[in-house]
Amino acid sequence: MRLPAAILVVSSFLTTVALAKVVSWIDTYADITITTFTHSDIQLEHQGKVIHIDPWSVSDLSQAKPADLILITDDVNHHLDPKAIARVRKPGAPVAIAANGRAQVPDGIVLANGDAREIAGVRIEATPAYDIKPGEPYHPKGEANGYIVTLGGKRIYIAGVTECVPEVRGAKNIDVVFFAMNVPLERMEPAAAIECLSAIKPKAVYPYHYDQEWVRPVPAGGKRPQPTTRGLKELADALGRQEIEVRLANWYPQ
């Protein structure tokens, strides 16, 4: 059952992005249950199997279900949080990691860009996620992953933090994509995200990982700032004209 969105999303946010579908923590696509937590923290469920992507201790993990499989996209703390992994992981559950996570997850299964395999009964494809423009923070090619997860015949693409590089814009037959926007140094501004998603042509998009200012003070216990809505309406308007559904989750709770 979907929770009422109004409980979790303030009216100004609803007004700003009125042309998109605003979802709460729990949403569904076909027979897949999607729970969105904080920034890039996602839970997928299908036929009793639970997959966590980038669990983070800032999230309310009391709402999380024990994971049969965990996917980690990068080695930054809001992606790779060992305490959060331990919190949600079933005993012995596999953790698939990018190459740069090896030191923090010694028993992790390292997937290189382009690797595809079945883990815990789930088809996983590791995709490139990287920057072209120099500057910090920088994501070099080959260090971090996106993932395409196949559940119930649906292809769900967690793109990770990346520019619109050829490997990303070339993703095929995607049903749902979680797509980072407004990452630092103008690497994925709304116009670039629109261009990239127009090439991918998914059926549904969850913009995520789009508020770096919110993320900076919160892990240290600082005040949670008012979350940005910059670019969300622009994204929803442009993709809506192409019949690509945009779903806006409450990634940055107050």
Side-chain angles (χ1 to χ4, degrees), residues 30-182:
D31 60 349
I32 301 162
T33 300
I34 299 169
T35 304
T36 55
F37 289 97
T38 308
H39 196 49
S40 55
D41 183 350
I42 304 160
Q43 175 183 286
L44 305 175
E45 299 173 67
H46 180 256
Q47 295 184 346
K49 185 154 294 184
V50 176
I51 304 167
H52 278 274
I53 301 96
D54 291 352
W56 191 23
S57 296
V58 167
S59 301
D60 180 5
L61 294 177
S62 67
Q63 303 297 317
K65 294 186 178 180
D68 299 287
L69 170 63
I70 298 172
L71 306 177
I72 303 297
T73 63
D74 201 355
D75 66 348
V76 182
N77 182 255
H78 57 259
H79 297 287
L80 200 174
D81 179 345
K83 290 183 179 179
I85 290 172
R87 172 76 182 272
V88 303
R89 187 181 189 182
K90 284 183 180 178
V95 181
I97 59 174
N100 59 12
R102 188 180 286 109
Q104 296 187 67
V105 188
D107 64 341
I109 300 170
V110 176
L111 296 181
N113 293 170
D115 283 353
R117 60 185 292 186
E118 187 172 293
I119 306 175
V122 180
R123 173 76 174 176
I124 304 294
E125 302 167 45
T127 63
Y130 63 97
D131 298 329
I132 298 172
K133 297 176 185 176
E136 293 295 334
Y138 182 54
H139 307 89
K141 186 175 182 178
E143 285 197 2
N145 287 336
Y147 296 101
I148 297 175
V149 179
T150 300
L151 291 173
K154 305 299 182 184
R155 285 166 56 82
I156 301 175
Y157 183 20
I158 300 96
V161 180
T162 183
E163 288 189 61
C164 189
V165 294
E167 299 95 328
V168 173
R169 65 184 296 118
K172 303 296 183 185
N173 303 316
I174 301 301
D175 293 288
V176 177
V177 60
F178 290 85
F179 201 82
M181 191 173 68
N182 294 346

